[in-house]
Amino acid sequence: MYIHAVSHYLPAQVVGNEHFTQLNGLASEWIIERTGIEERRKAGPDENANTMAVEAVRALEEKVDLSEVDLIVGATYTPHDTIVTLAHVVQHHLHIPDIPVVSISSACSSLLNAIEIVEGYFALKKARRALVVVSEHNTAYYNEEDTVSGHLWGDGSAALLLTKDRQSPKDLTIHCVITGGAATSGKATTAVVLKPLERGVIMPHGRDVFSNACQYMPKVSQQVLYRCGLTLHDVDYILPHQANLRISRNVMQTLGLPEEKLISNIQRLGNTGCAGCAIGLSENWDIFQKGQRIIVTVFGGGYSYGAMLVEV
Amino acid sequence: MYIHAVSHYLPAQVVGNEHFTQLNGLASEWIIERTGIEERRKAGPDENANTMAVEAVRALEEKVDLSEVDLIVGATYTPHDTIVTLAHVVQHHLHIPDIPVVSISSACSSLLNAIEIVEGYFALKKARRALVVVSEHNTAYYNEEDTVSGHLWGDGSAALLLTKDRQSPKDLTIHCVITGGAATSGKATTAVVLKPLERGVIMPHGRDVFSNACQYMPKVSQQVLYRCGLTLHDVDYILPHQANLRISRNVMQTLGLPEEKLISNIQRLGNTGCAGCAIGLSENWDIFQKGQRIIVTVFGGGYSYGAMLVEV
């Protein structure tokens, strides 16, 4: 299985930390020290998870032909419409009838859940060219005045074309994907929640999220390496879920890897949910060199986690 | 792939058509004539899509051992929590760590999307005993005063244990699953929508839903039969998505099958979304005789559809 191309979309509006300083007195230095975040993007009034999904697909269409896509898997936990999902609007946009279309949510781990679902369709020979679209409209559901988590969230989306067969020498080969749920751990069912009818993503137990994220991302990364018969010496980059720069650094320390090998966009984008790692792949696509290996590892609310090893 | 067991849960409160007569003057006879619905269930104040999912699983645990479940796929378009999804709370309830856990939404077609995802995990050898849980809390998102669709919706949930290998002679064998999106057809992206931030499931283009449902469910049922090398003569029951009794009867007419072969619960339960067909399987499990074949076919908002053929 290969990642043939990836694109992303970021809304135009940049929200700096000073916005939260004015709003509720949080110093920019304090936000940076605690989270690494300097600024984040915010969707415009006519944008939502569905429109941003289509924008990421439009960007992908500028790079590759999507007319033969035969499966669409969308993901978001910040839905604009839970019936006409982002996968449906992407299918509508592409004008490709009669292909399987599904949207998923396992919170911030959904990118890898989506890729594993595609892996299943490829194994079944029910698809060969799959479009994965991840899109988060966190600012639709956040309470920006919440001093615990209001400053964390950003909006954005990404689209990946996965193919069963190699299309070009630049394709990323996916060697192994592992996903798991850890809803049995810690405060999994209460630590970070988004109840649409109470309109808010809140994080009552941030410390529990932090410690479980720091535990599960290194663990599943090691599991992926073990399955591939590789070790940490064979890894060029780690792209962890972009939740908090301190979590990302903690993951690198636990793995014993230097910070140069960390891919991070949270400084500019905040926590863009299940889109964060996909945006990271898109932003860094051109720096990857032939033979390099990247581990993408995720952890999200409800405590789902995953990792995959890709090689250029 | 087999369905080893299925259970369902219905909330206690029964809402008869007279409720809507009092509310906005809709005569019970008019509702029955237009939809077939005589009554529906409504979740209690402490219930939601997550709690009903767990109740369906509890009912399943009374029949079969779930301790070796190695995959959970949940589905709903009426989420209580989009981060701590029903799949996460079911994992938490079962106390089974480190298995893949994902929630999906393709509106009313999600049961078959979920089963197709399980089929992929089985093909990958990443799972052998999968729990599919479908749960809808329509009354959390409906506007009961909406004279177009307020009277259609009901709440309920179901849980199915799917196994790669046959567990007992009573297992239903799944011979073929096809899913597809039809977001390119008709008014797919506007006909029935649920925008959580506008808090409502509404159906501005019910006629378009009706005609597309009547077209796609017979078509995909025929496709499934063709793949299996069977014809309509080989089919004992049709279990269509429980959206409207007139749609179900239209499907039977198009297929040229008598109404005795129709399985329907919409009269008692209303439209229970992606849970409807699974509840139907559960309610009718004991009437199925060895050798009988049932087609389950679905169609939902965003215009996803699917069908599967199962044999006792």
Side-chain angles (χ1 to χ4, degrees):
Chain A
M1 182 162 59
Y2 302 87
I3 304 176
H4 178 51
V6 53
S7 285
H8 67 283
Y9 170 76
L10 299 172
Q13 189 186 345
V14 177
V15 179
N17 287 344
E18 66 281 2
H19 175 76
F20 299 95
T21 310
Q22 285 170 15
L23 203 66
N24 50 29
L26 298 182
S28 179
E29 299 71 25
W30 182 87
I31 294 175
I32 294 171
E33 183 198 321
R34 303 268 295 191
T35 69
I37 302 170
E38 294 165 28
E39 58 188 40
R40 70 289 285 154
R41 299 299 182 99
K42 184 175 180 177
D46 295 331
E47 293 190 302
N48 55 59
N50 285 6
T51 65
M52 289 191 287
V54 171
E55 289 306 321
V57 171
R58 277 190 221 276
L60 193 61
E61 285 179 293
E62 290 179 13
K63 298 180 185 178
V64 291
D65 174 28
L66 298 182
S67 65
E68 292 180 19
V69 161
D70 53 14
L71 168 66
I72 298 169
V73 183
T76 189
Y77 59 75
T78 52
H80 173 62
D81 189 326
T82 62
I83 288 183
V84 183
T85 70
L86 66 90
H88 291 108
V89 299
V90 165
Q91 187 198 16
H92 184 78
H93 167 75
L94 290 176
H95 279 285
I96 305 175
D98 298 318
I99 59 171
V101 165
V102 63
S103 276
I104 68 163
S105 175
S106 280
C108 291
S109 77
S110 294
L111 172 68
L112 295 193
N113 297 94
I115 291 175
E116 197 167 51
I117 287 168
V118 169
E119 190 185 23
Y121 274 88
F122 285 177
L124 290 167
K125 298 182 179 161
K126 287 188 171 185
R128 304 186 70 84
R129 285 174 81 83
L131 186 58
V132 167
V133 189
V134 284
S135 180
E136 296 292 7
H137 190 192
N138 282 305
T139 65
Y141 286 98
Y142 79 156
N143 172 4
E144 64 173 0
E145 295 186 10
D146 170 16
T147 54
V148 176
S149 69
H151 50 288
L152 299 180
W153 307 106
D155 299 332
S157 62
L160 303 88
L161 179 61
L162 304 184
T163 59
K164 188 166 183 177
D165 306 306
R166 182 180 281 280
Q167 308 293 307
S168 96
K170 274 285 283 178
D171 291 354
L172 297 186
T173 308
I174 299 177
H175 284 300
C176 179
V177 186
I178 297 175
T179 72
T184 51
S185 295
K187 295 175 166 40
T189 59
T190 55
V192 48
V193 299
L194 195 171
K195 297 174 181 168
L197 294 176
E198 296 169 16
R199 195 177 174 158
V201 51
I202 55 169
M203 201 182 291
H205 302 293
R207 203 170 291 178
D208 196 70
V209 178
F210 192 101
S211 65
N212 278 278
C214 290
Q215 177 195 335
Y216 277 98
M217 285 196 280
K219 187 174 151 190
V220 69
S221 297
Q222 293 275 24
Q223 286 170 345
V224 156
L225 283 171
Y226 180 79
R227 291 251 183 108
C228 294
L230 297 171
T231 73
L232 287 162
H233 297 290
D234 304 306
V235 176
D236 296 283
Y237 294 105
I238 301 282
L239 172 47
H241 169 49
Q242 303 291 305
N244 185 317
L245 189 56
R246 286 197 303 147
I247 293 177
S248 297
R249 286 179 172 148
N250 191 300
V251 167
M252 299 305 281
Q253 280 163 16
T254 302
L255 293 173
L257 292 176
E259 197 161 325
E260 305 92 83
K261 294 194 172 184
L262 171 66
I263 297 177
S264 182
N265 58 35
I266 192 168
Q267 298 92 328
R268 289 173 290 110
L269 304 181
N271 183 341
T272 49
C274 75
C277 284
I279 295 169
L281 274 180
S282 176
E283 290 178 327
N284 292 281
W285 187 265
D286 291 331
I287 71 161
F288 299 142
Q289 302 295 316
K290 194 73 195 166
Q292 287 189 325
R293 299 188 188 93
I294 305 112
I295 288 180
V296 180
T297 182
V298 293
F299 181 84
Y303 293 4
S304 289
Y305 60 85
M308 72 172 174
L309 182 88
V310 297
E311 182 173 343
V312 186
Chain B
M1 180 162 63
Y2 301 86
I3 304 176
H4 177 52
V6 53
S7 284
H8 66 283
Y9 170 75
L10 299 172
Q13 188 185 347
V14 177
V15 179
N17 288 344
E18 66 282 3
H19 174 75
F20 298 95
T21 310
Q22 285 168 15
L23 203 66
N24 50 28
L26 298 182
S28 179
E29 297 71 25
W30 183 86
I31 294 175
I32 293 170
E33 183 198 322
R34 303 268 295 189
T35 69
I37 302 170
E38 294 166 26
E39 58 189 37
R40 70 289 287 152
R41 299 299 182 99
K42 184 175 180 177
D46 295 330
E47 292 189 305
N48 55 59
N50 284 7
T51 64
M52 289 191 287
V54 171
E55 289 306 321
V57 171
R58 277 190 220 275
L60 194 60
E61 284 179 295
E62 289 179 14
K63 299 180 184 178
V64 288
D65 174 28
L66 297 182
S67 65
E68 291 180 20
V69 162
D70 52 14
L71 169 66
I72 298 169
V73 183
T76 188
Y77 59 75
T78 51
H80 173 60
D81 189 328
T82 63
I83 288 182
V84 182
T85 69
L86 67 89
H88 291 109
V89 299
V90 165
Q91 187 198 17
H92 184 78
H93 167 75
L94 291 176
H95 278 285
I96 304 175
D98 298 318
I99 59 171
V101 165
V102 64
S103 276
I104 68 162
S105 174
S106 280
C108 292
S109 76
S110 293
L111 172 68
L112 295 193
N113 297 93
I115 290 175
E116 197 168 51
I117 288 169
V118 169
E119 190 184 25
Y121 274 88
F122 285 178
L124 290 168
K125 299 183 180 161
K126 287 188 171 186
R128 303 186 71 84
R129 285 175 82 83
L131 187 59
V132 167
V133 189
V134 284
S135 179
E136 296 291 9
H137 190 191
N138 282 305
T139 65
Y141 286 98
Y142 79 156
N143 172 5
E144 65 173 359
E145 295 186 10
D146 170 16
T147 53
V148 176
S149 69
H151 49 288
L152 299 180
W153 307 106
D155 300 331
S157 62
L160 303 87
L161 180 61
L162 304 184
T163 58
K164 188 166 184 175
D165 306 306
R166 182 180 280 280
Q167 307 293 308
S168 95
K170 274 284 282 178
D171 291 354
L172 296 186
T173 307
I174 299 177
H175 284 300
C176 180
V177 186
I178 296 175
T179 71
T184 51
S185 296
K187 295 177 167 41
T189 59
T190 55
V192 48
V193 299
L194 195 171
K195 297 176 181 167
L197 294 177
E198 297 169 16
R199 195 179 174 157
V201 52
I202 55 170
M203 202 181 290
H205 303 291
R207 203 169 291 177
D208 197 69
V209 179
F210 193 100
S211 65
N212 278 278
C214 291
Q215 176 193 336
Y216 277 97
M217 285 195 282
K219 188 174 151 189
V220 69
S221 297
Q222 293 274 26
Q223 286 170 346
V224 156
L225 284 170
Y226 180 79
R227 291 252 183 107
C228 294
L230 297 171
T231 73
L232 286 162
H233 297 289
D234 304 306
V235 176
D236 296 282
Y237 293 105
I238 302 280
L239 171 48
H241 168 49
Q242 303 292 304
N244 185 317
L245 189 56
R246 286 197 303 147
I247 293 177
S248 297
R249 285 177 172 149
N250 192 300
V251 167
M252 299 304 282
Q253 280 163 16
T254 301
L255 292 173
L257 293 176
E259 197 161 325
E260 305 92 83
K261 294 195 172 185
L262 171 66
I263 297 177
S264 182
N265 57 36
I266 192 168
Q267 298 92 329
R268 290 174 288 109
L269 304 181
N271 183 341
T272 49
C274 75
C277 283
I279 295 170
L281 274 181
S282 176
E283 289 177 328
N284 291 282
W285 186 266
D286 291 332
I287 71 161
F288 299 142
Q289 301 295 317
K290 194 71 194 166
Q292 286 189 325
R293 298 189 189 92
I294 305 113
I295 287 180
V296 180
T297 181
V298 293
F299 181 84
Y303 293 4
S304 290
Y305 60 86
M308 71 172 176
L309 182 88
V310 296
E311 182 173 343
V312 186

